[in-house]
Amino acid sequence: MSEFKWRSAVVSLAMIAATAWLAAAQTPPPARRAGAAPQAPTPPAAVATIGPLRVAQIELDQRTDQAVSQYKSQSGASLPPEIMVVVRRQILEGLIRRDLLVLEAQRRNLVATEKEAEAELRHDPFFQVNGVFDSTRYNQFRMQNPIVVQNAIQQLRLSLGGRRLMEQLQRQKGPAESVLRARARRALMRASVDYMGLRRADFDGATPEPRESEIHGYYRDHAAEFERPQRAILSVVFVDQPALSDSEGAIPAAVKAWNSRMKQRADSILAAVRGGSELEAASGSQGGPRGGQVVVPGNFPAYWKGDARITAAVFSARDSSLLPEAVPSTTGWLVVRVDRNEPAHLAAFREVAPEIRMRLRNERRQTFEDRELHAMYDAVRDSLKTTAYRLRYGIADTARLAPPAPPSADLERFYRSHLADYSSFSSKEGGVAVKSLDEVRDDVRRRWSIERRFELSRLAADELRASWGRGRRDAALERRLEVREVGPVVPGAAADSGGIGRLLGDTLAARGGALGAGMARTDRGWVAFQVAERVPDWAPDFAQARPALMRRLQARRDEEDLEGARRLFDANPQAFAGGDVIHYERAIVTPPQLLDVPLTREEVERYYREHLDRYSAPELVGARHILISPRDATAEADKEARARADSILARLRDGDDFAAVAEKTTDDPATKVEGGDLGVFGRGTMLPEFEHAAFAMRPGDLSQTPVRTQVGYHIIKVYSYDPMVTNPLNEVYSNASSDAAQEKADSLARGTADSLWRTLKTPAQLRAAAERRKIRVITYAHTTGKTEVGADDLRPYYRRLETLKPGQVFPGIQKFPGMGYAITWVDSLSPPRPPTWDEARDQALDSYRRDAGRRALGAKQAELDSLLREGWSLDSIGVAWGGLGHADDYGPGQRLVGVGTAGRIDTVVFGDRGDDGLRPGQLSDWIELPAGVVRLRLKELHAPSASAVTTRAENDARIELERSLVGYFDGLKKRYPVRILDRKLREVQLPQPPSGP
């Protein structure tokens, strides 16, 4: 059972079991069946003792059955067997608390009178006839069974006393009903809101932001740039199931018969839809239609093999209509519904406004930057003199190299050397299945051709390099490779236009200016170059000096920022001091060595079953990608790259060919010439973010948004997918046993740490236990309000640590990878001291730079407020930011997409009580959030029903009462010793009370 399902079941049962002891405390033992008379007590088997009282095994069984039945009725699922013992322990705790209340009620003299007990006895079902008390029956039974009645009355006196004490505790410790109902009502409120957010990260303050009027003006003046071609959006059923087996695929007659069967299935689906069935229902056996397939004239997916007549029919079809015939595919047939036909049109303003905003930001930044650089160039031109170089270069462009058709022997050799690329694990055949050369000949020929082109390019470039190296000039060869003479060139500056020029400039810098010939590989092939001559004392022009000027400019900006940060620090050093210093210790329980971990075969088998994905033929994906890398590490460059990626993604959604766009736009030279093709890969091959996105996609899918990794933004298109296939245990037993031992070692360490934490309550006890067990104890110091370097994942840990006082133990244990499980306690606190400039430098610098961004954000807020006062609506302003966000079922604590969560949003929308927030149609002020600001408009407010409020308030009351009474019952257990006789139940740790509302 997965951890998520286990936790879900525990949470559901916690709501039931948390109230079980309350129910037990207020009710006698389970009622007899209707009509059964009270009987003289006979001691049943006990499961626990509480002072002189006993909890009967049969009562625990009955109450457990009730709780399990209630869980099933509420969840619709059976209780997972692995948590049954936890549930039984919770129910037993309720019965123990019931008897503790009985004993404490006796001590406090809260026992009911005989008259009160007899009145309660009269309500027993045995003495009711048609729901009415039968006095004759009661008196007759009392005369015939006086001892039984007397025992029942005495038992009820005690039980009623416990109930009376429980009622007192509820009044004293339980929350007020009015508070609970107000809180429940607010928690259950739902709202429909429109909102507009501005992110702080988008405002650095380096240059003024473009005004909203400029965004609109650019769209109007550059409309031609935003024309979108005609396109159709299709839903496609791939009729290819059951799939053709590998063995059948090698027999032409079998392939033809399978293709005929698939055509019949496709025709049957078409006939069913014409007969009135929905396409989704009619194609269920084939997995249903795949929607959102975008096509444009002249650009259809690779799987589409329809002729010109069928293709033309797509763009003449009515919306939501079915193509009249099946369309041939690369494998099988396609049944196609044209969901929507869109004529060529101008892209809506809201679609392109974010891109326009980014363009104008970049243009403005470039203008300001160029102005500063030119001024700097004029001032320091003479100091920029350096040694430059004249060089020549030629490119052996693979696009101009056409190798002859490959001989069969060459294809055979290539295929043999790349067999791994054409092999996969086959569960049907119980081993590795290899596709024959005939099946993959086209792919082999394509890949051979690519490699051969690069080899021919290398040979041609090497011939030119060798000629220059010998001091010769081969005029014919130089004409063929279109040799260019350039210079003087400054190392590090572009030697020529385009990527080749940048490559040569960087290569020149890497060579240290050494004369001579060399070669370098590019995405277009190989380039040969010769550094022919030094030009000393060269005064570079502005373009050549730009890289050096940029370094100087950035250094100047950094220095100005540092001076501003120092002024900020000098004005108030204490602002950067942080809080008190917490001196704390951790006892680290390390896992045992694997060879010391006892392990049975049964444990290995269980581990193997629970982790099948680790011992399987890998899941594989074939994909193409387009990489857009930021030009540098600045936030501006990142925004520019994201905007460019979004623009390219929009083109692809409009139907542009992926491979063609990749060849022109991708920043990945390794895949550029192949149209972004990454080939087939498994998990662990790509960067984590890329991998997560790719393996969530299926053939034909295009990533919904650009995927950010450490190298830039990726647009992904998947063209193949092979699911994971499991290997048998006997083949992977050594790996599984090692992994199982590792997990068990971790579990043993966790169990030891948890046992110590639950048993020992003071630092002194923990230190003594650590010394006895030779557990390492490490001393640390933490400044309140700061997160330790490299410890972002531990923010909740440090925030909780900051709430502890000296001598207190941290609640729970923590896992530190590579170390083990830690028990933490606080030793002492010391007051903060004013930091030195060196200590506060980074924090002050960050604060100073954020101030510039805050001012820019504030200026934009003021501009938007001014537009609202002039009569603009929130909707019209939001269009220029890509449109407003919408949430039609927003509740307290929920996340607004692109904004996040914040208590201030809830307070504005719902108020403090749930009925004192925004009114429908009302617009909020700007709400400050950690990541930016947001403005909301309430559309509708949906109040919960009275019954829902009552149910929520009652549940919250039970939970809060449970939490408040934990300590009270711990005290009673010391007064009335409790013994749990069942060993399994005795070893179960009670779960923590459910968290509060």
Side-chain angles (χ1 to χ4, degrees):
M1 183 180 186
S2 72
E3 181 180 2
F4 174 78
K5 292 181 179 178
W6 189 92
R7 291 185 181 275
S8 298
V10 169
V11 169
S12 299
L13 277 159
M15 294 299 296
I16 297 170
T19 62
W21 68 267
L22 290 172
Q26 300 178 71
T27 59
R32 301 173 303 280
R33 59 183 174 81
Q39 299 295 318
T42 55
V47 69
T49 62
I50 305 91
L53 303 181
R54 299 156 55 89
V55 175
Q57 177 77 49
I58 188 172
E59 183 177 7
L60 175 62
D61 293 341
Q62 290 172 344
R63 290 198 183 272
T64 301
D65 290 344
Q66 292 172 4
V68 171
S69 177
Q70 184 181 352
Y71 171 81
K72 186 171 184 178
S73 66
Q74 291 181 359
S75 67
S78 298
L79 178 68
E82 53 265 45
I83 63 171
M84 177 64 81
V85 68
V86 179
V87 176
R88 286 179 64 80
R89 178 65 183 88
Q90 288 178 305
I91 302 299
L92 176 60
E93 183 67 13
L95 297 172
I96 290 172
R97 292 183 177 187
R98 178 197 66 189
D99 288 351
L100 288 170
L101 289 173
V102 167
L103 293 172
E104 181 64 7
Q106 284 182 279
R107 190 183 73 83
R108 295 190 182 190
N109 199 26
L110 295 176
V111 176
T113 65
E114 288 196 8
K115 184 177 181 180
E116 291 170 329
E118 185 174 357
E120 184 71 19
L121 181 60
R122 289 167 178 258
H123 289 93
D124 191 285
F126 181 75
F127 305 119
Q128 309 295 313
V129 178
N130 297 325
V132 178
F133 174 64
D134 188 331
S135 58
T136 301
R137 189 174 193 180
Y138 175 76
N139 291 329
Q140 182 179 3
F141 182 85
R142 184 169 185 171
M143 290 176 61
Q144 294 174 351
N145 303 278
I147 296 177
V148 172
V149 171
Q150 188 60 35
N151 286 337
I153 288 175
Q154 292 305 314
Q155 182 66 35
L156 283 171
R157 289 184 66 196
L158 298 175
S159 178
L160 290 173
R163 182 189 301 179
R164 185 171 296 169
L165 176 57
M166 187 67 237
E167 290 169 353
Q168 286 185 8
L169 293 173
Q170 286 177 317
R171 289 192 297 270
Q172 294 168 2
K173 298 179 178 293
E177 182 180 357
S178 59
V179 173
L180 284 169
R181 291 189 66 84
R183 192 166 61 195
R185 186 178 190 280
R186 187 180 187 276
L188 295 170
M189 292 292 290
R190 291 296 180 269
S192 298
V193 296
D194 299 324
Y195 60 92
M196 174 183 174
L198 304 178
R199 299 191 312 154
R200 297 189 194 282
D202 292 334
F203 299 84
D204 58 12
T207 56
E209 279 287 304
R211 299 185 64 81
E212 301 306 291
S213 58
E214 295 177 275
I215 309 294
H216 287 268
Y218 189 98
Y219 177 71
R220 181 182 60 251
D221 297 340
H222 298 78
E225 298 180 24
F226 306 112
E227 290 288 344
R228 298 292 185 255
Q230 180 186 10
R231 68 174 190 167
I233 295 88
L234 313 177
S235 288
V236 179
V237 177
F238 291 79
V239 185
D240 55 6
Q241 297 298 323
L244 188 68
S245 68
D246 292 340
S247 58
E248 290 175 323
I251 305 172
V255 173
K256 183 177 181 180
W258 177 84
N259 201 50
S260 177
R261 292 196 301 274
M262 294 305 105
K263 178 64 163 60
Q264 292 174 0
R265 291 178 186 271
D267 290 342
S268 297
I269 294 172
L270 284 168
V273 176
R274 293 191 194 102
S277 295
E278 294 290 335
L279 179 61
E280 287 72 11
S283 61
S285 63
Q286 300 298 313
R290 183 187 301 163
Q293 305 295 297
V294 179
V295 297
V296 299
N299 190 356
F300 274 67
Y303 59 73
W304 183 283
K305 298 303 178 183
D307 58 23
R309 177 182 56 81
I310 296 177
T311 301
V314 170
F315 299 101
S316 61
R318 298 189 309 273
D319 289 357
S320 302
S321 64
L322 207 65
L323 290 187
E325 59 186 279
V327 179
S329 178
T330 49
T331 55
W333 295 79
L334 310 172
V335 176
V336 180
R337 181 177 65 205
V338 180
D339 294 324
R340 191 167 71 255
N341 248 315
E342 295 180 356
H345 64 284
L346 177 67
F349 178 59
R350 63 177 294 168
E351 295 177 26
V352 296
E355 179 185 348
I356 294 173
R357 188 178 304 278
M358 188 59 65
R359 285 188 192 180
L360 293 180
R361 279 175 176 165
N362 292 335
E363 288 176 6
R364 185 160 298 182
R365 177 189 54 77
Q366 192 70 48
T367 299
F368 275 72
E369 193 173 85
D370 285 347
R371 188 182 302 162
E372 289 185 272
L373 290 175
H374 276 289
M376 183 181 291
Y377 178 70
D378 292 339
V380 301
R381 181 183 307 181
D382 291 340
S383 67
L384 297 174
K385 288 184 178 181
T386 185
T387 299
Y389 301 84
R390 298 186 188 280
L391 55 84
R392 58 182 63 93
Y393 72 92
I395 306 172
D397 196 331
T398 56
R400 298 184 178 183
L401 299 173
S408 298
D410 286 357
L411 285 184
E412 181 74 24
R413 278 193 296 273
F414 185 94
Y415 168 73
R416 294 293 179 192
S417 64
H418 294 80
L419 270 179
D421 297 338
Y422 303 111
S423 305
S424 61
F425 184 83
S426 172
S427 58
K428 292 182 179 179
E429 299 181 12
V432 176
V434 181
K435 293 184 178 180
S436 68
L437 175 58
D438 287 339
E439 293 178 273
V440 296
R441 188 176 298 276
D442 290 343
D443 186 68
V444 170
R445 184 181 290 108
R446 178 184 65 84
R447 294 177 60 186
W448 179 91
S449 177
I450 291 172
E451 288 194 10
R452 184 58 180 160
R453 283 173 185 268
F454 268 97
E455 178 61 16
L456 292 175
S457 170
R458 188 190 65 78
L459 292 173
D462 189 55
E463 183 181 357
L464 181 59
R465 179 201 60 78
S467 174
W468 286 337
R470 292 191 297 269
R472 298 177 181 177
R473 301 289 298 272
D474 186 330
L477 180 59
E478 291 187 14
R479 280 195 302 274
R480 182 156 59 90
L481 271 60
E482 298 182 348
V483 170
R484 291 172 55 86
E485 306 272 352
V486 293
V489 176
V490 175
D496 205 348
S497 60
I500 298 296
R502 291 192 297 273
L503 172 67
L504 291 172
D506 293 342
T507 302
L508 185 61
R511 289 169 59 91
L515 300 180
M519 289 172 55
R521 179 168 174 168
T522 76
D523 55 355
R524 292 171 54 188
W526 286 84
V527 57
F529 61 86
Q530 182 183 27
V531 183
E533 177 187 353
R534 289 189 181 92
V535 182
D537 204 27
W538 170 255
D541 61 24
F542 177 77
Q544 290 176 325
R546 188 181 182 95
L549 292 173
M550 273 301 304
R551 289 192 291 272
R552 292 192 182 196
L553 177 60
Q554 189 59 52
R556 189 175 77 184
R557 288 174 175 174
D558 290 343
E559 187 62 31
E560 291 172 351
D561 287 350
L562 196 60
E563 291 174 0
R566 184 59 190 258
R567 290 193 300 271
L568 196 64
F569 171 79
D570 290 341
N572 185 12
Q574 196 65 31
F576 304 97
D580 292 340
V581 178
I582 302 172
H583 304 277
Y584 65 101
E585 292 182 319
R586 292 182 191 144
I588 307 292
V589 180
T590 57
Q593 295 296 317
L594 295 189
L595 294 178
D596 298 331
V597 177
L599 201 65
T600 66
R601 181 177 179 86
E602 181 183 359
E603 289 175 306
V604 176
E605 290 174 347
R606 181 170 62 250
Y607 184 88
Y608 167 77
R609 290 194 300 271
E610 293 172 353
H611 301 84
L612 285 176
D613 57 316
R614 299 185 184 179
Y615 313 107
S616 305
E619 187 180 14
L620 298 173
V621 160
R624 295 179 182 271
H625 85 135
I626 296 173
L627 172 64
I628 304 300
S629 296
R631 52 185 165 76
D632 53 46
T634 62
E636 294 88 347
D638 186 82
K639 295 173 195 172
E640 181 182 349
R642 174 58 192 260
R644 185 178 166 213
D646 286 338
S647 178
I648 292 171
L649 182 58
R651 290 170 54 191
L652 295 171
R653 286 177 179 154
D654 287 335
D656 283 14
D657 180 70
F658 194 100
V661 173
E663 288 181 13
K664 295 177 182 177
T665 63
T666 189
D667 291 330
D668 180 8
T671 63
K672 189 181 187 80
V673 72
E674 300 180 29
D677 194 355
L678 293 163
V680 176
F681 53 88
R683 291 188 182 273
T685 306
M686 302 296 177
L687 293 169
E689 303 87 352
F690 184 99
E691 178 181 292
H692 179 77
F695 278 91
M697 299 164 64
R698 292 298 178 263
D701 289 351
L702 182 69
S703 53
Q704 294 297 308
T705 60
V707 177
R708 184 68 165 97
T709 71
Q710 65 190 44
V711 298
Y713 292 92
H714 305 259
I715 302 168
I716 308 170
K717 185 166 186 178
V718 169
Y719 57 76
S720 69
Y721 173 76
D722 294 313
M724 178 184 67
V725 179
T726 304
N727 292 320
L729 176 59
N730 60 351
E731 295 181 10
V732 295
Y733 189 87
S734 60
N735 291 340
S737 60
S738 175
D739 294 341
Q742 184 75 52
E743 183 178 86
K744 189 171 183 179
D746 184 86
S747 178
L748 290 171
R750 183 175 63 247
T752 299
D754 186 67
S755 177
L756 290 173
W757 174 76
R758 292 181 181 277
T759 305
L760 308 176
K761 302 301 182 183
T762 67
Q765 293 173 338
L766 287 164
R767 285 194 197 96
E771 185 175 356
R772 288 194 307 272
R773 293 170 173 257
K774 294 182 171 48
I775 294 173
R776 187 169 47 141
V777 176
I778 307 175
T779 302
Y780 299 89
H782 166 73
T783 301
T784 303
K786 292 186 177 180
T787 299
E788 309 306 319
V789 176
D792 288 345
D793 292 343
L794 293 175
R795 284 182 187 274
Y797 170 79
Y798 286 114
R799 297 293 84 84
R800 186 69 180 90
L801 181 68
E802 292 170 3
T803 67
L804 302 182
K805 298 177 182 178
Q808 286 188 316
V809 179
F810 194 99
I813 61 175
Q814 303 81 44
K815 182 176 183 179
F816 291 89
M819 297 177 65
Y821 289 88
I823 307 169
T824 306
W825 60 86
V826 174
D827 281 330
S828 62
L829 299 177
S830 59
R833 60 173 177 78
T836 65
W837 164 243
D838 287 339
E839 291 172 331
R841 170 180 168 150
D842 291 343
Q843 185 181 355
L845 189 58
D846 183 58
S847 180
Y848 176 78
R849 287 171 172 165
R850 283 202 310 269
D851 283 344
R854 279 194 288 266
R855 290 191 295 272
L857 176 58
K860 178 55 68 176
Q861 289 176 249
E863 180 191 352
L864 298 180
D865 288 344
S866 175
L867 293 177
L868 287 170
R869 288 192 296 271
E870 292 174 6
W872 287 53
S873 68
L874 183 68
D875 300 86
S876 56
I877 291 176
V879 165
W881 293 82
L884 298 180
H886 305 282
D888 292 328
D889 189 32
Y890 176 72
Q894 291 183 1
R895 179 181 181 84
L896 288 176
V897 176
V899 173
T901 59
R904 294 201 62 194
I905 295 178
D906 294 345
T907 300
V908 169
V909 174
F910 301 107
D912 294 321
R913 303 186 306 270
D915 58 0
D916 55 340
L918 290 177
R919 298 184 302 277
Q922 186 178 3
L923 182 64
S924 76
D925 292 329
W926 290 105
I927 303 171
E928 294 282 341
L929 302 175
V933 296
V934 65
R935 203 159 192 181
L936 304 112
R937 181 179 61 211
L938 180 65
K939 294 165 61 180
E940 293 180 330
L941 196 63
H942 309 288
S945 66
S947 61
V949 172
T950 299
T951 300
R952 175 66 175 260
E954 290 174 350
N955 286 337
D956 290 350
R958 294 189 187 102
I959 292 171
E960 291 199 30
L961 183 61
E962 157 71 354
R963 288 202 309 274
S964 68
L965 290 179
V966 169
Y968 177 79
F969 280 108
D970 286 344
L972 290 185
K973 289 177 181 178
K974 294 177 181 178
R975 178 173 291 157
Y976 310 105
V978 174
R979 285 186 60 216
I980 298 176
L981 305 178
D982 185 297
R983 181 180 58 82
K984 287 186 178 180
L985 292 178
R986 187 167 60 244
E987 293 175 352
V988 173
Q989 293 288 340
L990 279 172
Q992 293 295 314
S995 58

